[in-house]
């Protein structure tokens, strides 16, 4: 193994094969219980419209990729994000080859995190988060199984901010139970329609979502424009007004969400009907394992047939000093 070298500004270098594949192998070794595919990696990391040239750092020895980090500031898209996103630098994803011997592993780990902190201060940002970056993300945070990584971060001054879970559903075992069919009948009896959205309606729906649930969700739903099929289900009243929505397969085929129902209509349990309709559509499209990510609504999802795993993620944050 040759002398290790730091390589910065990797937007051009890593945008070409075989470097994406090398990075994919590194990430899947580091997060060995939570596989990432090449499509999600490229779309979430390299096609994020907020990416800038110096937002990547990598550690090479000869042609071996030993460490990688991707940071992000939400400054471009959406154009007017909530203040909590504008004033935070996010470490979107990072990895170190777990086969490195102890001291070198820790050194690479700390340099990647240190690089992110330097960039935050350069940009006048004093809050840094690991996880918590919406829309173009791979994981909502760090899964608690990776205790060694969390422990190192805590020693560097990072503290738990929030925690969420991902549900994984084996759609081979998924079905719509009778209790949901009964709820669906009651919803229809209120002259409410549940239907798929046409491509020309995406902007209307994303604008409604942005108005009711915030600009971030609205922008996430707008990702449907980039896909072959819109993959959005809505609930409408007899006037054609939207009451709720459910999206799926936006950034990645197997990912469900977001989902929301306006407050005055929630008593009708429209959300349950939208949820099951979307999961059924995912199954009909050939998705085997569906992922319901980044949620703390545990009871809303806990009854779904086919739950295979629940992954527990924590978000970490650190307030930097100048």
């Amino acid at each position: 193994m040759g002398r290790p070298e730091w390589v910065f500004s990797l937007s051009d270098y890593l945008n070409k094969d075989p470097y994406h594949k090398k990075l994919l192998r590194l990430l899947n070794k580091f997060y060995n219980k939570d596989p990432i595919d090449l499509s999600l990696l490229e779309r979430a990391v390299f096609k994020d419209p907020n990416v800038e040239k110096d937002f990547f750092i990598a550690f090479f020895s000869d042609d071996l990729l030993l460490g990688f980090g991707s940071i992000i500031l939400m400054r471009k898209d959406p154009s007017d994000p909530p203040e909590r996103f504008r004033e935070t630098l996010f470490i979107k994803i990072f990895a170190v080859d777990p086969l490195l011997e102890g001291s070198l592993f820790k050194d690479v780990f700390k340099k990647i995190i240190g690089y992110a902190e330097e960039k935050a201060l350069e940009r006048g940002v004093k809050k840094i988060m690991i996880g918590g970056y919406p829309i173009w993300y791979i994981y909502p945070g760090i899964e608690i199984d990776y205790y060694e990584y969390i422990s190192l971060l805590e020693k560097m001054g990072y503290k738990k901010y929030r925690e969420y879970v991902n549900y994984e559903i084996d759609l081979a075992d998924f079905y719509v139970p009778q209790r949901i069919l009964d709820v669906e009948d009651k919803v229809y009896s209120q002259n409410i329609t549940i239907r798929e959205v046409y491509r020309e309606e995406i902007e209307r729906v994303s604008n409604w979502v942005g108005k009711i649930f915030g600009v971030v969700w609205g922008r996430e739903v707008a990702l449907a424009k980039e896909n072959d099929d819109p993959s959005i289900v809505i609930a409408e009243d007899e006037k054609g007004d939207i009451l709720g929505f459910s999206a799926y397969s936006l950034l990645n085929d197997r990912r469900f969400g977001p989902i929301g129902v306006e407050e005055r209509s929630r008593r009708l349990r429209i959300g349950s009907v939208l949820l099951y309709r979307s999961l059924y559509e995912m199954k009909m499209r050939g998705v085997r394992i569906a992922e319901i990510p980044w949620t703390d609504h545990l009871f809303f999802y806990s009854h779904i047939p086919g739950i295979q795993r629940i992954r527990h993620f924590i978000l970490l944050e650190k307030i930097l000093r100048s």
Side-chain angles (χ1 to χ4, degrees):
M1 183 178 292
R3 183 176 65 86
E5 295 181 357
W6 285 100
V7 181
F8 301 92
S9 302
L10 290 177
S11 55
D12 294 328
Y13 189 48
L14 285 175
N15 262 330
K16 303 173 183 177
D17 277 344
Y19 299 109
H20 277 190
K21 292 178 181 177
K22 288 185 177 183
L23 176 55
L24 185 67
R25 291 181 65 86
L26 174 67
L27 292 170
N28 281 321
K29 283 196 289 184
F30 191 71
Y31 302 102
N32 64 324
K33 296 183 179 180
D34 299 278
I36 305 166
D37 61 43
L38 189 59
S39 173
L40 178 59
L41 169 63
E42 291 180 341
R43 199 165 180 193
V45 175
F46 295 103
K47 295 182 180 180
D48 183 336
N50 292 298
V51 160
E52 298 181 33
K53 285 187 176 181
D54 58 350
F55 279 5
F56 303 109
I57 182 173
F59 190 71
F60 282 90
S61 178
D62 296 328
D63 204 32
L64 297 176
L65 180 59
L66 304 181
F68 174 83
S70 169
I71 62 176
I72 205 77
L73 286 164
M74 186 175 279
R75 295 285 175 84
K76 300 176 184 177
D77 192 1
S79 58
D80 187 25
E83 184 176 354
R84 69 182 186 277
F85 293 120
R86 289 198 307 270
E87 302 304 320
T88 302
L89 182 139
F90 297 90
I91 299 177
K92 178 185 287 192
I93 192 78
F94 71 98
V96 180
D97 190 333
L99 298 180
L100 293 179
E101 58 92 13
S103 61
L104 183 55
F105 177 93
K106 291 179 181 179
D107 185 49
V108 174
F109 189 106
K110 290 177 180 179
K111 285 183 177 179
I112 291 172
I113 303 302
Y115 178 77
E117 294 178 1
E118 290 173 11
K119 286 298 172 183
L121 293 175
E122 283 180 16
R123 300 299 184 94
V125 175
K126 293 189 176 181
K127 183 177 180 180
I128 189 164
M129 289 190 65
I130 299 174
Y133 177 76
I135 308 178
W136 298 276
Y137 68 95
I138 293 178
Y139 305 121
I142 299 183
E143 219 284 338
I144 61 172
D145 275 349
Y146 307 114
Y147 173 76
E148 179 185 1
Y149 313 156
I150 295 171
S151 179
L152 283 172
L153 289 165
E154 288 175 338
K155 290 175 182 177
M156 297 178 71
Y158 287 82
K159 297 180 180 180
K160 183 172 76 172
Y161 172 63
R162 286 184 180 171
E163 51 193 325
Y164 298 95
V165 302
N166 284 11
Y167 283 95
E168 294 180 5
I169 315 297
D170 187 340
L171 293 181
D173 297 326
F174 170 80
Y175 62 93
V176 182
Q178 186 60 48
R179 55 188 167 77
I180 298 299
L181 295 174
D182 291 344
V183 171
E184 190 176 79
D185 288 341
K186 291 178 182 178
V187 168
Y188 289 149
S189 72
Q190 301 292 318
N191 295 318
I192 295 170
T193 301
I194 307 292
R195 66 174 180 87
E196 294 278 326
V197 164
Y198 296 107
R199 176 167 296 280
E200 57 269 23
E201 298 177 294
I202 294 174
E203 185 172 358
R204 171 196 170 220
V205 175
S206 63
N207 288 342
W208 180 86
V209 172
K211 179 180 178 181
I212 302 299
F213 299 101
V215 64
V216 172
W217 270 22
R219 179 62 182 90
E220 187 168 6
V221 170
L223 289 175
K225 297 177 184 177
E226 304 170 19
N227 299 337
D228 293 335
D229 295 307
S231 62
I232 304 170
V233 180
I234 58 171
E236 291 178 318
D237 64 16
E238 65 271 20
K239 297 178 182 178
D241 293 333
I242 300 173
L243 306 179
F245 82 102
S246 177
Y248 59 94
S249 301
L250 294 178
L251 193 72
N252 180 265
D253 286 345
R254 64 193 297 263
R255 184 175 289 176
F256 168 85
I259 180 173
V261 176
E262 64 172 10
E263 190 170 356
R264 66 184 175 89
S265 300
R266 290 174 189 170
R267 60 182 177 80
L268 301 173
R269 298 186 64 191
I270 293 171
S272 294
V273 179
L274 291 168
L275 167 65
Y276 276 82
R277 173 68 175 270
S278 296
L279 291 174
Y280 178 78
E281 292 298 330
M282 293 176 77
K283 182 172 183 173
M284 292 300 99
R285 294 185 182 194
V287 175
R288 174 61 188 268
I289 304 297
E291 177 186 75
I292 301 175
W294 199 336
T295 184
D296 55 5
H297 296 292
L298 304 184
F299 297 118
F300 182 63
Y301 298 110
S302 62
H303 58 277
I304 298 172
I307 291 176
Q308 183 185 58
R309 288 202 310 172
I310 300 175
R311 304 296 285 155
H312 183 174
F313 292 85
I314 65 170
L315 282 60
L316 297 115
E317 69 172 1
K318 181 178 180 179
I319 306 301
L320 303 176
R321 297 180 180 179
S322 302

